[in-house]
Amino acid sequence: MLFKLCKGNGYVYKGNYTGQYCIYDNAFVTDAKPGDNCPDCGRPTETVTEENYYFKLSAFQKPLLDFYKRIQISFSPKPAKNEIISFVEGGLKDLSITRTTVRWGIPVPGEEPHVFYVWFDALTAYLSAVGGPEYEKRGMWPCDLHLVGKDIIRFHAVYWPAFLMASMLAGAETSLGSRLVPDGTRAR
């Protein structure tokens, strides 16, 4: 549902990704050059090119910054909000949301061999958990507390609201709840 809405609204497009890839860690290594070793495992990376669908995250720099100013949300710890704002102010690049060279993953309906890359599909579980397309009728959205691991705050505080804005689903304004607790700190 989310993919179809974002694509229909012009925020998803097909392109090619070329980069260094560590087959041992099953991960692209952003800052590596051909011949460089993977910084995590130390093994050689390979240059890989594959067709992907991209999400136009670059279109959401100003809407996200406006969103952070407009919403009344408390981050715990407080520096987390500054970290997110600084990341967005630094400029946003379009985000690869599918892969074609891996078999694991949720297939993109009607777009085989594309499978969703982890975050685009994983974040839709929030909508599924509260009733899918009928989430508004069930009264379980928006949330009032959003607990996330500190290492994945960017996915929840940048990508998730942008996906909701692109889909034009109700709830983008409150997608983070009133409190975002990214490090396991006790919510107050």
Side-chain angles (χ1 to χ4, degrees), residues 148-187:
V148 299
K150 66 180 178 181
D151 296 336
I152 57 173
I153 186 173
R154 186 177 302 164
F155 302 99
H156 295 265
V158 178
Y159 304 152
W160 178 235
F163 296 160
L164 288 175
M165 289 175 190
S167 71
M168 298 183 188
L169 283 170
E173 287 294 311
T174 53
S175 62
L176 297 179
S178 59
R179 294 173 288 167
L180 184 71
V181 184
D183 68 346
T185 302
R186 201 178 210 178

Side-chain angles (χ1 to χ4, degrees), residues 23-114:
I23 61 169
Y24 304 99
D25 291 337
N26 199 24
F28 280 99
V29 183
T30 307
D31 297 328
K33 295 176 180 63
D36 285 355
N37 289 336
C38 173
D40 293 330
C41 73
R43 296 177 183 146
T45 60
E46 298 177 4
T47 302
V48 172
T49 298
E50 70 178 23
E51 182 181 80
N52 292 180
Y53 272 103
Y54 284 86
F55 175 75
K56 286 186 185 178
L57 186 62
S58 60
F60 290 91
Q61 182 173 353
K62 183 171 178 357
L64 283 168
L65 291 171
D66 291 346
F67 172 67
Y68 302 138
K69 288 177 188 168
R70 194 171 50 252
I71 62 171
Q72 298 299 313
I73 185 169
S74 63
F75 282 66
S76 177
K78 291 188 187 293
K81 186 171 186 176
N82 294 335
E83 178 185 326
I84 290 302
I85 290 171
S86 178
F87 173 76
V88 175
E89 285 176 339
L92 299 174
K93 295 181 181 177
D94 291 353
L95 184 66
S96 172
I97 58 172
T98 69
R99 300 282 311 273
T100 54
T101 59
V102 295
R103 299 275 183 255
W104 55 268
I106 307 297
V108 178
E111 298 292 341
E112 293 75 15
H114 289 269

